[in-house]
Amino acid sequence: MSEHGGIEGLPQNVLARKPTLMLVDGMALLFRAYYATALKGYIRRTEAGVPTNGIYGFVRYMWDAIQQFDPTHVACCWDMGGRTFRTEQFESYKGNRSAAPDDLIPQFDLVKDVVEAMDIPNIGMPGYEADDCIGTIAKRCAREQQMDVQILSGDNDMLQLTDERIKVIIMKKGYGNYQVYTPDYLMEEKGLKPSQIIDMKGLMGDSSDNYPGVKGIGEKTAIKLVQEFDDIPGILANLDKLTNSVRTKIENDLDMLHMSRSLAEIHCEVPVECPIDLCEFRIDDSKVSAKFAELEISSLGKMMGTDVFG
């Protein structure tokens, strides 16, 4: 902290507002945006045939969230593709995912170009997932910079990251619909502490990420066990208090229980850099307008008030 009570490294023009960093889960927004129109059979394209529906929706989602939650700083985190430390642990991790649609593939790089044109850093680290980069940066900024952090995603795995400085903004169906999670709201809604999200998923697994947890234990039982015994070590120390059925299921799947919990935990010590001064949210209208014009999505510039060609 500076002697004036501000945060070192932050430009003076943002010190009048409470410094807040929004971390955007890029793939979550892009996939949501793509399928919102693709499932209806509509793919927006340039005259040359380049698909842009995912990019268009991505910008709308991100811009709406920025308008609603008013961060001073923004960064966007991405999965880098390829193997991660989780696939090294468990070969079948996410092995049930189908290949990306042909019309989405070219938008992976193009959307990052758009984010760059908005002077928002694109962040990723080979061998890790975007979740891990988000968790690392969120915890680091909250701890070292004393900044409030907003995580924008559609992934409930992120709820394990909530704390007194970190809010998780879960996107709901449609534009502008969000549920904001703090530790208090998480306890109110689900009866769980943030760390217990990891234990719950260790027990019940995650079909979307393709790890099984304990065979025969679903969400309801997992939540009940975690609420009663606090965490997986607490459950294992009290196996004699469980019903015979639940005890047998856990004892038969102990290795997978520990593996699933490890896979569910967001790794918050990724060697990733995110210089906070580069995240200050400040758009160059000309640069953004030029990129939108290039992709023939200039209506986004009008929506954002950045259209210098209109």
Side-chain angles (χ1 to χ4, degrees):
M1 300 289 285
S2 74
E3 62 181 0
H4 303 295
I7 298 178
E8 295 176 357
L10 298 183
Q12 289 297 314
N13 64 319
V14 300
L15 289 177
R17 296 163 59 199
K18 189 173 184 180
T20 304
L21 171 64
M22 175 178 283
L23 293 170
V24 178
D25 183 352
M27 286 300 188
L29 265 67
L30 182 61
F31 273 83
R32 179 182 290 258
Y34 174 83
Y35 284 111
T37 55
L39 290 177
K40 299 174 185 175
Y42 174 69
I43 303 292
R44 186 186 188 102
R45 301 179 189 277
T46 66
E47 285 188 10
V50 177
T52 59
N53 65 315
I55 299 166
Y56 185 90
F58 174 96
V59 174
R60 283 193 62 191
Y61 280 131
M62 186 167 67
W63 182 250
D64 182 85
I66 288 170
Q67 293 296 102
Q68 286 213 36
F69 297 101
D70 196 29
T72 57
H73 294 68
V74 182
C76 192
C77 295
W78 300 93
D79 294 325
M80 301 299 286
R83 295 180 67 81
T84 69
F85 74 94
R86 290 186 179 85
T87 46
E88 296 298 329
Q89 282 183 276
F90 185 59
E91 188 67 33
S92 297
Y93 180 73
K94 291 190 175 179
N96 57 341
R97 302 275 179 102
S98 56
D102 290 344
D103 283 325
L104 179 56
I105 292 172
Q107 299 186 67
F108 288 142
D109 289 333
L110 290 173
V111 73
K112 292 179 185 177
D113 293 343
V114 170
V115 171
E116 184 177 340
M118 296 173 72
D119 289 319
I120 295 172
N122 287 304
I123 296 171
M125 177 64 64
Y128 297 92
E129 295 181 57
D131 293 17
D132 304 307
C133 294
I134 288 171
T136 298
I137 296 165
K139 295 293 185 182
R140 185 189 300 160
C141 286
R143 180 178 65 247
E144 297 177 6
Q145 299 280 356
Q146 298 294 297
M147 287 185 79
D148 288 342
V149 179
Q150 306 162 339
I151 296 172
L152 179 67
S153 182
D155 185 355
N156 284 316
D157 288 354
M158 297 288 192
L159 300 182
Q160 64 186 267
L161 298 173
T162 58
D163 65 22
E164 66 277 1
R165 284 197 175 274
I166 301 172
K167 294 182 173 69
V168 175
I169 302 166
I170 295 294
M171 304 171 66
K172 301 296 185 180
K173 187 174 181 180
Y175 288 102
N177 296 321
Y178 309 96
Q179 181 60 65
V180 180
Y181 284 89
T182 62
D184 286 345
Y185 185 75
L186 180 60
M187 178 59 69
E188 177 185 332
E189 186 190 70
K190 297 184 182 295
L192 297 173
K193 296 180 290 188
S195 63
Q196 291 176 321
I197 295 291
I198 311 169
D199 297 290
M200 177 191 74
K201 297 201 72 170
L203 287 159
M204 63 179 280
D206 187 327
S207 58
S208 67
D209 285 340
N210 202 41
Y211 58 87
V214 175
K215 187 175 180 180
I217 290 185
E219 182 176 9
K220 186 176 179 181
T221 301
I223 290 174
K224 181 181 177 183
L225 289 170
V226 172
Q227 287 173 335
E228 186 170 357
F229 300 109
D230 194 51
D231 55 19
I232 286 173
I235 294 167
L236 296 180
N238 289 279
L239 286 175
D240 59 321
K241 297 179 182 177
L242 307 182
T243 65
N244 288 336
S245 173
V246 171
R247 176 176 179 169
T248 299
K249 289 171 183 174
I250 290 174
E251 289 178 334
N252 287 344
D253 250 344
L254 269 179
D255 288 345
M256 188 51 71
L257 170 61
H258 292 302
M259 174 67 75
S260 294
R261 191 197 183 282
S262 176
L263 294 170
E265 185 170 15
I266 292 174
H267 185 80
C268 294
E269 298 295 336
V270 176
V272 65
E273 296 299 321
C274 181
I276 197 64
D277 57 320
L278 299 183
C279 299
E280 182 189 355
F281 186 62
R282 196 168 42 181
I283 283 182
D284 180 325
D285 289 357
S286 295
K287 190 191 298 186
V288 172
S289 291
K291 178 55 68 174
F292 287 167
E294 176 189 328
L295 294 173
E296 300 171 24
I297 50 177
S298 293
S299 59
L300 288 175
K302 294 181 175 65
M303 178 192 76
M304 294 168 56
T306 62
D307 185 20
V308 299
F309 303 123

